Amino acid sequence: MAQGVCRYASIMNGARQVLFHHRIHKVFKQHLVCISVWEKDKKGGNRKPYPVSHIEMIKDGLKMMGPEMKKFGDEMKHKFRADPFVNINDGDYEYIWKFNDRKRVEEWIVSSDHDNNEGQSKANLTFSTNNTALFHGYLSQQVPKDGVVKRTGYCNIRSPTKFLSFKREDNHDWSCFTHLLMRVRGDGRPYMVTISMDRFFDINWFDQYHYTLFTRGGPYWQIAKIPFSKFYVTSKGRIQDKQEPIQLERITHLSITIGDGNEGPFYLEIDYIACMFDENHKEAFAYESYVTDPAHVNT
């Protein structure tokens, strides 16, 4: 039995059935024919049904069919025209997010402890007059009097999910590069850069890679060049004994977090986030690995 999410339309031989939009579709036959619209449901299809009628699903699906077909055509053109042998030279870099557009800034997700009723911190991500993204707010250390939360004070921004045509989720592939490049102007406080991964097994869904971004403060811009080999792996916020290099072809999101334990206002102005190739960087992984009992790893 295969399970999945039918985004727009699926056709099953022997059964005249067409489903649109986000309805969960369970297939009990092996001869399923899908036309670039079906993707596997990571959680096995165990979701609550959407409170939308079939007619509304069909209407919404048809409205989006035109733009998505155009996007699908552009993807096919790029696939057939692209050179399969990528030649990257020393010092080459590629913009992943360039914050010179208000729409690009508004796509990012902003959160804080206040959103989860775990504190009083406030955060915003705005498009500045310098045509950059400005991450600013107030970091509060006030602990709620609920008898549960013991520590508080964090604000976070996260990149949007990368989608292909027909709302198919896709990963970022940075395997050709060696460094993360960021042009920022901060307030002197440290920020945590987090890279989220696409893992197959549910026990690894919370795997993340971290490294600290140290800002200088003052009116001048700085370019942070962080090797991917310096990122260390955590699970649910705990640093793991079993460390391993980051899989650069399976990256889903990038986040920037402030939570240094100091109450007060903060600001971080971001011009761009890019990836860079440095042929002189030969380090594969910066941290030693331990031989551990498999039953005690990631727990």
Side-chain angles (χ1 to χ4, degrees):
M1 181 180 70
Q3 295 179 342
V5 177
C6 183
R7 294 292 185 181
Y8 288 94
S10 66
I11 304 171
M12 183 167 58
N13 293 344
R16 293 177 298 177
Q17 183 176 8
V18 179
L19 304 177
F20 289 86
H21 207 43
H22 293 280
R23 184 182 175 186
I24 301 302
H25 182 39
K26 297 184 179 180
V27 182
F28 294 92
K29 295 186 179 182
Q30 296 296 330
H31 52 284
L32 177 69
V33 179
C34 296
I35 310 175
S36 302
V37 295
W38 183 87
E39 67 176 345
K40 180 176 63 176
D41 185 2
K42 191 173 183 179
K43 295 186 178 180
N46 297 320
R47 298 181 181 179
K48 295 181 179 179
Y50 290 92
V52 181
S53 65
H54 292 179
I55 296 178
E56 293 297 328
M57 291 182 182
I58 294 174
K59 289 181 179 180
D60 293 341
L62 291 176
K63 289 179 182 178
M64 303 177 69
M65 190 65 77
E68 296 300 326
M69 283 296 296
K70 183 179 182 302
K71 190 175 181 180
F72 178 73
D74 295 338
E75 292 173 4
M76 292 298 101
K77 291 179 182 178
H78 176 74
K79 181 178 181 180
F80 289 116
R81 293 178 181 176
D83 187 355
F85 302 100
V86 180
N87 184 19
I88 299 180
N89 300 316
D90 180 38
D92 289 349
Y93 63 91
E94 178 183 349
Y95 290 128
I96 308 299
W97 294 282
K98 176 70 173 174
F99 298 101
N100 57 353
D101 185 2
R102 182 182 301 273
K103 183 178 179 181
R104 180 63 62 89
V105 175
E106 293 176 350
E107 290 176 346
W108 282 58
I109 300 172
V110 184
S111 61
S112 67
D113 52 22
H114 181 69
D115 298 326
N116 299 317
N117 296 323
E118 296 177 350
Q120 299 298 324
S121 301
K122 297 181 180 179
N124 291 284
L125 183 66
T126 57
F127 185 65
S128 70
T129 56
N130 299 323
N131 292 335
T132 57
L134 181 60
F135 178 40
H136 62 99
Y138 188 88
L139 195 67
S140 174
Q141 299 297 304
Q142 182 179 352
V143 179
K145 298 180 180 180
D146 56 2
V148 178
V149 180
K150 298 180 180 180
R151 295 183 298 273
T152 188
Y154 74 87
C155 296
N156 177 77
I157 55 174
R158 195 190 76 169
S159 65
T161 302
K162 183 180 180 181
F163 284 103
L164 297 174
S165 58
F166 298 103
K167 304 302 179 182
R168 295 170 296 158
E169 293 187 13
D170 192 23
N171 298 329
H172 296 279
D173 186 357
W174 300 343
S175 56
C176 298
F177 304 98
T178 60
H179 290 74
L180 183 70
L181 209 63
M182 303 175 63
R183 186 172 187 261
V184 299
R185 181 162 55 182
D187 51 6
R189 303 177 72 163
Y191 294 78
M192 182 67 72
V193 179
T194 302
I195 296 178
S196 302
M197 306 300 298
D198 179 20
R199 302 297 198 193
F200 182 79
F201 296 104
D202 56 356
I203 195 174
N204 301 119
W205 286 354
F206 299 98
D207 287 359
Q208 294 179 327
Y209 284 81
H210 303 273
Y211 197 76
T212 305
L213 170 66
F214 296 98
T215 60
R216 299 173 183 172
Y220 301 107
W221 288 93
Q222 69 178 92
I223 297 179
K225 182 181 175 183
I226 306 174
F228 288 119
S229 59
K230 300 293 185 183
F231 282 82
Y232 56 90
V233 64
T234 68
S235 179
K236 297 183 179 180
R238 298 178 181 270
I239 301 177
Q240 299 299 290
D241 291 331
K242 185 179 180 181
Q243 294 288 323
E244 59 184 7
I246 186 172
Q247 294 176 289
L248 294 174
E249 71 279 1
R250 300 185 62 86
I251 295 174
T252 57
H253 302 93
L254 185 141
S255 305
I256 300 176
T257 308
I258 172 109
D260 58 358
N262 297 315
E263 181 158 344
F266 66 89
Y267 74 90
L268 178 68
E269 192 173 357
I270 309 171
D271 184 14
Y272 62 78
I273 299 175
C275 288
M276 176 184 176
F277 173 70
D278 186 355
E279 65 179 8
N280 297 316
H281 184 76
K282 304 300 182 182
E283 184 180 59
F285 194 55
Y287 309 104
E288 60 182 337
S289 300
Y290 299 92
V291 179
T292 57
D293 186 351
H296 297 160
V297 178
N298 293 334
T299 58

